[in-house]
Amino acid sequence: MNSKRVRVALDAMGGDYTPQETVGGAVIAVQDWGVEVILVGPEDAIKKEMDKHHIDDLPIRQVTSERGIREDEPPVAALRQNPRSSIVVATELVKAGEADAVVSIGSTGATMASAIMILGALEGIKRPLVGGAILGFAPETMVFDMGANVDCKPRQLLGFATMGSIAAQKILNIANPTVALLSTGAEKGKGNRLVKETYQLLEESNLNFIGNVEGVDIPLGRANVIICDGFVGNILIKFCEGLGGSIAQRLRNTLRGHLSTSDIEDIATDIISLTNMPDVEGGGLLYGVNGVVMIGHGRSRAPEIAKCIHQAEKAVRSGLIDALRAAWEGVGA
Amino acid sequence: MNSKRVRVALDAMGGDYTPQETVGGAVIAVQDWGVEVILVGPEDAIKKEMDKHHIDDLPIRQVTSERGIREDEPPVAALRQNPRSSIVVATELVKAGEADAVVSIGSTGATMASAIMILGALEGIKRPLVGGAILGFAPETMVFDMGANVDCKPRQLLGFATMGSIAAQKILNIANPTVALLSTGAEKGKGNRLVKETYQLLEESNLNFIGNVEGVDIPLGRANVIICDGFVGNILIKFCEGLGGSIAQRLRNTLRGHLSTSDIEDIATDIISLTNMPDVEGGGLLYGVNGVVMIGHGRSRAPEIAKCIHQAEKAVRSGLIDALRAAWEGVGA
């Protein structure tokens, strides 16, 4: 794997600026990181865009599909009506062993549904998790789940902790990651029913469980893996993004006249980056499905799409999926 | 009420720096806002501290109690063992009509338990709520609950919305406050089970319900009253405080050498204030009990304690408690 190029299937028809930005992102990715990219979309549209770049010698090729699924379509119904849509064909390339990963900046729901239907999920996983670092202040702290699992049972959170621990090992290269539960107090017994019951399960697990952490501990990086349900995780990450934006705007106003415009913009951008990790990293990986699936923001432009492809490549090279599967079988979850 | 001094009973033995700071806070409060403060604590300790100030002509007096309850004591047991503790005696002054409000920077649990046991709660309220503004960016947005109600039912959240709406009317002077549910998406149907079921109840209520808001909407002040369970609210407010601190520290490092030390400290302090509203306001009011009860941070010094007393005074003058009781009877909750 290390010497071979990683092959990434890109849903070239997903996202807000398609296919210009997806094709542009693919070109950056193959040039900067030596991956191979398979652009999935209608031949005419993709080829026309490819012709704008000098890519005859680059490992980029096109595979034909029909249209992309939009964010505003009900995902499962849209997939059913469009069985040759770009996300389906891209995901099938992974299933067939013709690609090592799929990257999409299209509909999150359709990407998740395709992943589950085509690649399959680990046993007991109904919806994949989304996890990763949420703050530049704590780059070695990943939060699980930030996604679709809004009503959770204790055993599900134990599963998040198991996957998060493997993710921190493989993605962050931390040998024995610390795992904590997000709660309203550090002491055992603090928190809601879900947290209290999960605490018990984590204590009995062989994970490196260090107890509860509070909201104030997240920026301090008090644990490598912080576990919460997807309702809390989603609200947190969006609040973080919003607060970072408001603070950046405040600084633009406060610093005006005191520093040069470009210095002020650097400072504002720094704060926005530190509070928008999914943007910095290009997107988030899905956990719990049998393959590397990376989802980026629909509003991504070529450079962000290239980052997304790079993240997918790193996940493939890390051996994450095999490690997750092995850990999952180990706990019999 | 408008011409009469508001009488605030202060638990002079609660907090980290007691009784020096509590007595000092009382002195500031009576001088700056014309309230009357009743210092509750052991005579010797309080009188000794009072003697350090020139307060012969000021409306400050001492009422005798035994010791304060510490934050690390189990509240209910501690109250049982100390039936003449300072928080109990202070709360009893309100019950007896000798004070209009009680202020405590001591044990939150003991303050809540005293309030419920002595003043009584509104019908159906097991634990009082804590609510208020969480961000200086959105001073007209209050969040309920930030406190102890970590496992909630839809009807409880409806109750939070009812109380929050009255609070926004009385504390923020907003005639018809907008009420929203904190969720993972703006559309009806997004969120966890609790939110979906509460959505229904809020739609049927006569509150000015505007639907769901997301985490990113909080700093933008998209609603006057944002409803969540106390688990989410507690995590959010602590995360906000932690993130504000990390960003302030980042700015101190980034701006060093570019601006004067005092300008940098002003900017850092501004960010910390904007993200620490309970500190700015001195603390938070308890909602759902039959009296004005204000809880501040244990680490508060005299100026913050004075602010806490001022907030309590404003709550008394606003007629909040009567309005809450009337609204509560109206919905038959």
Side-chain angles (χ1 to χ4, degrees):
Chain A
M1 179 61 70
N2 280 329
S3 55
K4 252 178 69 182
R5 279 184 193 278
V6 168
R7 301 158 304 168
V8 175
L10 175 65
D11 173 358
M13 302 312 286
D16 299 345
Y17 313 104
T18 178
Q20 302 92 310
E21 300 295 324
T22 43
V23 174
V27 173
I28 298 175
V30 297
Q31 287 172 333
D32 288 5
W33 295 299
V35 292
E36 176 181 336
V37 177
I38 305 162
L39 291 162
V40 180
E43 185 167 357
D44 285 0
I46 304 297
K47 287 265 164 86
K48 189 177 147 200
E49 207 54 46
M50 287 170 77
D51 285 344
K52 297 184 188 164
H53 300 272
H54 305 283
I55 53 175
D56 289 347
D57 302 331
L58 295 178
I60 301 186
R61 59 192 178 92
Q62 179 265 345
V63 162
T64 298
S65 77
E66 293 177 8
R67 72 174 179 91
I69 306 295
R70 293 186 316 274
E71 192 68 65
D72 62 356
E73 294 180 89
V76 176
L79 290 177
R80 219 169 270 150
Q81 285 158 24
N82 297 277
R84 303 306 303 153
S85 57
S86 49
I87 185 61
V88 169
V89 174
T91 311
E92 281 174 347
L93 289 173
V94 176
K95 179 69 181 177
E98 288 171 44
D100 304 303
V102 57
V103 169
S104 166
I105 60 158
S107 157
T108 303
T111 306
M112 285 195 178
S114 297
I116 292 177
M117 292 192 298
I118 298 164
L119 302 175
L122 298 181
E123 202 183 325
I125 298 283
K126 281 187 205 133
R127 296 165 186 269
L129 330 190
V130 182
I134 75 165
L135 273 178
F137 294 106
E140 297 206 331
T141 296
M142 301 175 94
V143 174
F144 293 82
D145 174 32
M146 303 191 289
N149 297 276
V150 291
D151 286 298
C152 292
K153 298 238 149 55
R155 284 204 71 82
Q156 269 177 289
L157 292 202
L158 175 64
F160 299 175
T162 303
M163 288 202 237
S165 190
I166 298 293
Q169 287 171 44
K170 293 293 175 181
I171 309 270
L172 302 179
N173 284 314
I174 295 169
N176 188 22
T178 51
V179 175
L181 271 170
L182 185 57
S183 189
T184 54
E187 307 84 358
K188 182 175 178 173
K190 291 268 182 173
N192 59 13
R193 205 173 302 129
L194 175 65
V195 164
K196 289 182 210 168
E197 291 177 18
T198 308
Y199 197 107
Q200 205 72 33
L201 294 179
L202 283 167
E203 267 190 323
E204 291 159 9
S205 76
N206 56 8
L207 296 169
N208 187 7
F209 178 56
I210 59 166
N212 292 340
V213 291
E214 302 180 73
V216 71
D217 298 319
I218 301 173
L220 303 175
R222 285 267 162 83
N224 300 124
V225 179
I226 294 181
I227 301 303
C228 57
D229 65 40
F231 184 80
V232 172
N234 178 287
I235 287 171
L236 264 187
I237 194 155
K238 288 180 183 166
F239 178 62
C240 187
E241 181 190 333
L243 185 54
S246 291
I247 290 177
Q249 195 49 45
R250 177 78 168 192
L251 291 170
R252 288 191 187 103
N253 296 336
T254 310
L255 295 173
R256 189 176 301 144
H258 298 283
L259 293 175
S260 74
T261 311
S262 76
D263 279 354
I264 293 173
E265 211 37 52
D266 284 351
I267 289 167
T269 305
D270 177 53
I271 298 301
I272 289 173
S273 297
L274 286 164
T275 51
N276 281 268
M277 283 298 274
D279 274 357
V280 172
E281 302 202 329
L285 277 174
L286 283 195
Y287 290 85
V289 291
N290 288 309
V292 172
V293 181
M294 182 85 188
I295 301 185
H297 267 303
R299 63 170 187 266
S300 300
R301 299 281 186 172
E304 290 82 44
I305 295 166
K307 277 193 239 172
C308 229
I309 295 170
H310 186 209
Q311 293 297 322
E313 185 218 3
K314 287 205 293 186
V316 171
R317 289 204 186 279
S318 74
L320 176 70
I321 299 296
D322 285 343
L324 283 172
R325 202 180 287 122
W328 203 247
E329 283 164 7
V331 297
Chain B
M1 179 61 75
N2 280 330
S3 55
K4 251 178 71 182
R5 279 183 193 278
V6 169
R7 302 157 305 167
V8 176
L10 175 64
D11 173 358
M13 302 312 286
D16 299 345
Y17 313 104
T18 178
Q20 302 93 311
E21 300 296 324
T22 43
V23 174
V27 172
I28 297 174
V30 296
Q31 287 174 333
D32 289 5
W33 294 299
V35 292
E36 175 180 335
V37 178
I38 306 162
L39 291 162
V40 180
E43 185 169 358
D44 285 1
I46 303 297
K47 288 265 163 86
K48 188 176 149 202
E49 206 55 46
M50 287 170 80
D51 286 344
K52 295 184 189 165
H53 301 272
H54 305 283
I55 53 176
D56 289 347
D57 303 330
L58 295 178
I60 300 186
R61 60 193 178 93
Q62 179 264 346
V63 162
T64 298
S65 77
E66 292 178 8
R67 72 173 179 90
I69 306 295
R70 292 186 315 276
E71 192 68 64
D72 62 355
E73 294 181 89
V76 176
L79 290 178
R80 219 169 270 148
Q81 284 158 26
N82 298 274
R84 303 305 305 154
S85 57
S86 50
I87 184 63
V88 170
V89 173
T91 310
E92 282 173 346
L93 290 174
V94 176
K95 179 70 181 174
E98 290 171 43
D100 304 302
V102 57
V103 168
S104 166
I105 60 158
S107 158
T108 303
T111 306
M112 286 196 179
S114 298
I116 293 177
M117 291 192 300
I118 298 164
L119 302 176
L122 298 182
E123 201 184 325
I125 298 283
K126 282 187 200 130
R127 296 164 186 269
L129 328 193
V130 182
I134 75 167
L135 273 178
F137 295 106
E140 298 206 330
T141 296
M142 301 176 92
V143 175
F144 293 82
D145 175 31
M146 306 192 288
N149 298 277
V150 292
D151 287 298
C152 292
K153 298 238 151 52
R155 284 204 71 82
Q156 269 178 289
L157 292 203
L158 175 64
F160 299 175
T162 303
M163 289 203 237
S165 190
I166 299 294
Q169 287 172 43
K170 293 293 176 181
I171 308 273
L172 302 180
N173 284 314
I174 295 168
N176 189 21
T178 50
V179 175
L181 272 170
L182 184 58
S183 188
T184 54
E187 306 84 358
K188 182 176 179 174
K190 291 269 182 172
N192 59 14
R193 206 172 303 129
L194 174 64
V195 164
K196 287 182 214 167
E197 290 177 17
T198 309
Y199 197 107
Q200 206 72 34
L201 295 180
L202 282 168
E203 267 190 324
E204 293 158 8
S205 76
N206 57 6
L207 297 168
N208 187 7
F209 178 55
I210 59 165
N212 292 338
V213 293
E214 302 181 71
V216 71
D217 298 317
I218 302 174
L220 304 176
R222 286 267 163 83
N224 299 126
V225 179
I226 294 181
I227 301 303
C228 57
D229 66 39
F231 185 80
V232 172
N234 177 287
I235 287 170
L236 264 187
I237 194 155
K238 288 181 183 166
F239 179 61
C240 188
E241 179 190 334
L243 185 54
S246 291
I247 290 177
Q249 194 50 46
R250 177 76 169 194
L251 292 170
R252 287 191 186 103
N253 296 336
T254 310
L255 295 172
R256 189 176 300 144
H258 298 282
L259 293 176
S260 74
T261 311
S262 76
D263 279 353
I264 293 172
E265 210 40 50
D266 284 350
I267 289 167
T269 305
D270 177 53
I271 299 301
I272 289 173
S273 297
L274 286 164
T275 51
N276 280 269
M277 282 298 274
D279 274 359
V280 172
E281 303 204 327
L285 277 175
L286 283 194
Y287 290 85
V289 292
N290 288 310
V292 173
V293 181
M294 180 84 187
I295 301 185
H297 267 302
R299 63 169 186 266
S300 299
R301 300 280 185 173
E304 290 83 43
I305 295 165
K307 277 193 239 174
C308 229
I309 294 170
H310 186 209
Q311 293 297 322
E313 184 218 4
K314 287 204 294 186
V316 171
R317 288 202 187 279
S318 74
L320 177 70
I321 299 295
D322 285 343
L324 283 172
R325 201 180 289 123
W328 204 247
E329 283 164 8
V331 297

